[in-house]
Amino acid sequence: MSESVTFSSLELSPAILQAVEKLGYETPSEIQAKCIPSLLAGKDVLGLAQTGTGKTAAFALPLLNNIDVKAKYPQILVLAPTRELAIQVAEAFEQYAKFTHGVKVLPIYGGQSYGIQLKALREGAQIIVGTPGRVMDHLNKGTLKLDRLSAMVLDEADEMLRMGFIDDVETIMAKTPAEKQTCLFSATMPKQIQSICSKYLENAEHVSVAARNSTVESVEQVFWMAGHVHKNKAIVRFLQAENYDASIVFVRTRNDTVQLAEYLERAGFSVAPLNGDMNQQARERTIERLKNGLLDIVIATDVAARGLDVPLSLIHISEPTRPY
């Protein structure tokens, strides 16, 4: 990214620039500098980027810039793989729209009351951020109309594929207008994602951004290599040796969260799993227990843990190639 690129040089509206300044953003990240001009110009974008590169602002700022605040119907649809990410993206849109009067943002996801969502849809929410399952529910009930959609974003498309949502995603996309702007972000490009790109993206701008290490200097990073047969015992010894108030252990699958939590519980630890099979209330209770000191350890998948705001003194990452 050129050092001369600033948010003000990207031709965003004064209201959005005011919100960006209020948030303390100084210069665009690489993916923001590359995506924002293309999306402002109405082009489709295919972004190969991981979490942490600033991709939410890369699509949210230009799409918000082009919205018609007087039109009270869904204009932008963002699909996200999890409730947590949907909420996080919706909150980002709300922050960017702080000084753009007349914009309504609605996150829709399982576990939240339909009444809340129906009320916001009736009031004319223009930006919908949802999980594929709940968006499908609204489409089937006829409570969400996408016939006048002007832009659609698939956020973390490969995660939606991995979690089994890709058929729902294609069903949803088939119900959107052919003439719309489409933006797809994915950390990897498996064949099914490539197929969606070929089918729904037209002359898309390709943007590829390598992940950067965003760890602050105050965080110490260490790692140990452990064979599969020794991994559980190694985690137990590690947790016994470290002093911590709250800890999160990342594993690869939902089954891993349950199996490792049960193993650590048998070893005497105060622990609970956190995964996508749990409903929203159960997830929130687990996080509150961790915050209140009733739990010492949470075992989570990386997707389920996104958007957490919990002070942690220890993070442990375990990536087994087979279940525990």
Side-chain angles (χ1 to χ4, degrees):
M1 182 186 68
S2 171
E3 292 184 1
S4 63
V5 177
T6 64
F7 281 106
S8 58
S9 71
L10 293 175
E11 299 184 1
L12 294 165
S13 71
I16 291 177
L17 290 175
Q18 186 180 358
V20 166
E21 183 179 355
K22 183 79 172 178
L23 290 168
Y25 293 4
E26 296 179 356
T27 57
S29 68
E30 182 181 0
I31 196 166
Q32 291 162 6
K34 290 179 176 179
C35 288
I36 289 174
S38 295
L39 289 172
L40 283 174
K43 297 179 180 179
D44 289 357
V45 167
L46 170 59
L48 192 63
Q50 297 180 346
T51 297
T53 54
K55 59 184 173 59
T56 301
F59 64 77
L61 293 176
L63 294 182
L64 176 63
N65 190 92
N66 292 344
I67 204 169
D68 181 357
V69 295
K70 295 180 180 179
K72 303 301 181 182
Y73 52 79
Q75 299 174 46
I76 299 170
L77 172 64
V78 181
L79 291 183
T82 67
R83 303 176 181 97
E84 288 76 17
L85 186 57
I87 293 169
Q88 188 177 335
V89 171
E91 289 175 347
F93 266 106
E94 288 174 345
Q95 290 176 325
Y96 303 147
K98 183 177 179 63
F99 303 104
T100 306
H101 302 294
V103 173
K104 292 184 181 296
V105 183
L106 172 63
I108 58 175
Y109 51 88
Q112 185 189 46
S113 166
Y114 273 103
I116 296 173
Q117 297 172 7
L118 292 172
K119 182 175 183 293
L121 288 169
R122 286 194 296 267
E123 291 175 351
Q126 300 108 331
I127 302 172
I128 311 296
V129 186
T131 54
R134 184 52 68 97
V135 171
M136 282 289 294
D137 288 346
H138 279 285
L139 290 175
N140 291 335
K141 293 175 183 293
T143 51
L144 174 62
K145 303 291 185 182
L146 302 178
D147 54 309
R148 289 185 283 182
L149 205 69
S150 57
M152 181 170 184
V153 179
L154 300 185
D155 195 9
E156 304 201 2
D158 53 348
E159 285 295 334
M160 287 190 276
L161 172 62
R162 187 182 66 81
M163 296 172 71
F165 296 143
I166 207 66
D167 289 341
D168 286 348
V169 169
E170 292 215 57
T171 299
I172 293 166
M173 295 191 77
K175 295 180 181 294
T176 62
E179 297 297 323
K180 68 177 181 303
Q181 193 172 8
T182 304
C183 183
L184 185 148
F185 286 98
S186 187
T188 59
M189 291 298 294
K191 289 183 178 179
Q192 285 179 275
I193 301 301
Q194 293 177 27
S195 175
I196 288 177
C197 294
S198 300
K199 187 174 181 179
Y200 293 103
L201 273 67
E202 184 175 350
N203 299 321
E205 294 284 335
H206 288 235
V207 177
S208 180
V209 177
R212 294 181 178 179
N213 185 356
S214 59
T215 304
V216 296
E217 293 181 359
S218 60
V219 175
E220 179 186 4
Q221 299 184 68
V222 294
F223 73 92
W224 285 270
M225 298 292 292
H228 296 296
V229 295
H230 304 298
K231 188 169 291 186
N232 286 357
K233 291 181 180 179
I235 291 175
V236 169
R237 290 183 179 180
F238 180 82
L239 293 170
Q240 289 173 335
E242 291 290 326
N243 293 320
Y244 58 91
D245 296 319
S247 173
I248 185 165
V249 178
F250 288 106
V251 295
R252 181 168 294 177
T253 70
R254 299 174 186 181
N255 287 338
D256 290 338
T257 66
V258 175
Q259 293 179 29
L260 182 56
E262 291 175 348
Y263 182 90
L264 293 179
E265 190 173 43
R266 290 194 298 270
F269 293 96
S270 176
V271 58
L274 182 72
N275 61 56
D277 285 339
M278 300 164 61
N279 62 40
Q280 186 69 13
Q281 290 83 359
R283 292 191 197 191
E284 291 173 356
R285 284 196 300 269
T286 298
I287 298 307
E288 284 304 312
R289 290 175 66 199
L290 185 66
K291 287 182 176 181
N292 295 333
L294 300 176
L295 284 176
D296 296 325
I297 306 166
V298 164
I299 315 295
T301 57
D302 61 341
V303 175
R306 285 175 188 159
L308 299 187
D309 182 15
V310 182
L312 295 172
S313 54
L314 180 65
I315 298 177
H316 181 79
I317 300 175
S318 176
E319 294 187 347
T321 55
R322 64 184 184 187
Y324 281 90

